[in-house]
Amino acid sequence: MDHVGIYLTNGSNETIELPVTPAELMVKGEVDGDTATVLGLGEIKRYTTRKLIPLSIESTLPLTSDAHWVTAQNPLPDAQSYIDWLTAARDADKPVRFVLSGTKINVLTKIDSFKYGFKSGNSVEYQYTLALTEWRECKAERMTIKTAPSGKKTAVKKGTARAAPAKKLGIGSKVVVNGQLFRDSYGGGPGAKEHNVQLKVTLYAPGRARPYHVATLGGLPQGWVSASSLKGV
């Protein structure tokens, strides 16, 4: 059987293997969604995007790497070396790559918490709990739209509310959606199809194939749609 170990790589491309592979590791995948009432159909469940994957590890850090229960192939010298590495990775503003060898589990994460100490009078190893959450890169962008009769362009931050122009759809407009949702404004990642569902416009990307981003009236993101799929309320 191939060696099974948990490897972590920090933002400086330094990789460690945890000294003792935990007895179990569960990976939880969930899809976000909400319920809505559709005219003539009733209540439906609408699924949107996948939630972030949480990971939790409970294991031990032997005080020295020559302990007979160490499973790592190339462990750090001692428990304090692991504590220093994990603490620095937790406090850094960079993600950590999580890999379970021998499997397809390979997730970019951020360390949420790292708790360690002695239990039951056992002074030859630390007990620890390491909690991580999947990391998704999210960068703010600035967009330009024409707002003045002169044709001058004014920079508007994403999500900035403004009044919808007369007979035009804009950020904050309430709309009825009849059409397919997409993951991005270029039309990538086709998703669910909506039918007579009331939503609101939260983002606008002029010139793109699916220029309008819509969300529920409560603010839950749904996806990007074409102009032909929208009708102002």
Side-chain angles (χ1 to χ4, degrees):
M1 181 178 179
D2 293 337
H3 171 71
V4 176
I6 292 178
Y7 295 83
L8 302 175
T9 303
N10 63 16
S12 299
N13 207 30
E14 299 169 339
T15 300
I16 63 168
E17 181 184 359
L18 294 181
V20 180
T21 302
E24 63 178 32
L25 174 68
M26 303 299 292
V27 179
K28 182 180 180 181
E30 287 186 284
V31 177
D32 204 357
D34 66 347
T35 58
T37 301
V38 178
L39 186 64
L41 183 61
E43 188 176 55
I44 63 169
K45 180 75 173 182
R46 300 184 302 178
Y47 294 97
T48 55
T49 57
R50 179 178 58 81
K51 288 187 176 182
L52 298 175
I53 298 173
L55 295 167
S56 181
I57 301 169
E58 293 186 10
S59 190
T60 61
L61 299 173
L63 294 185
T64 59
S65 62
D66 57 0
H68 66 84
W69 58 94
V70 170
T71 60
Q73 293 181 327
N74 295 292
L76 297 181
D78 48 42
Q80 190 58 52
S81 298
Y82 280 101
I83 292 170
D84 293 342
W85 195 99
L86 291 169
T87 300
R90 177 200 62 196
D91 296 341
D93 189 24
K94 292 183 179 180
V96 171
R97 176 67 65 179
F98 178 101
V99 174
L100 180 63
S101 65
T103 74
K104 293 183 178 181
I105 299 175
N106 185 327
V107 187
L108 191 61
T109 68
K110 186 71 176 69
I111 296 177
D112 294 327
S113 66
F114 171 50
K115 180 173 67 174
Y116 63 93
F118 292 110
K119 287 186 178 181
S120 304
N122 188 349
S123 61
V124 298
E125 64 182 4
Y126 288 98
Q127 300 282 331
Y128 76 91
T129 300
L130 184 65
L132 311 95
T133 302
E134 182 183 8
W135 170 283
R136 288 181 187 167
E137 190 70 27
C138 180
K139 295 182 179 180
E141 297 180 7
R142 295 184 69 88
M143 301 173 63
T144 58
I145 58 175
K146 294 181 179 180
T147 58
S150 62
K152 292 182 179 179
K153 291 184 178 181
T154 304
V156 178
K157 290 184 179 180
K158 277 189 174 181
T160 302
R162 64 175 177 84
K167 298 183 181 180
K168 291 185 180 181
L169 299 178
I171 296 174
S173 297
K174 291 182 180 180
V175 294
V176 173
V177 179
N178 282 283
Q180 191 165 28
L181 299 170
F182 292 83
R183 183 184 63 241
D184 57 50
S185 59
Y186 295 100
K193 291 184 178 180
E194 300 288 18
H195 177 66
N196 288 338
V197 177
Q198 187 171 352
L199 302 171
K200 66 178 180 180
V201 177
T202 56
L203 300 172
Y204 177 54
R208 296 184 183 177
R210 305 292 186 275
Y212 293 97
H213 184 273
V214 292
T216 65
L217 301 184
L220 183 65
Q222 300 299 294
W224 293 84
V225 297
S226 63
S228 61
S229 299
L230 303 182
K231 181 179 179 182
V233 176

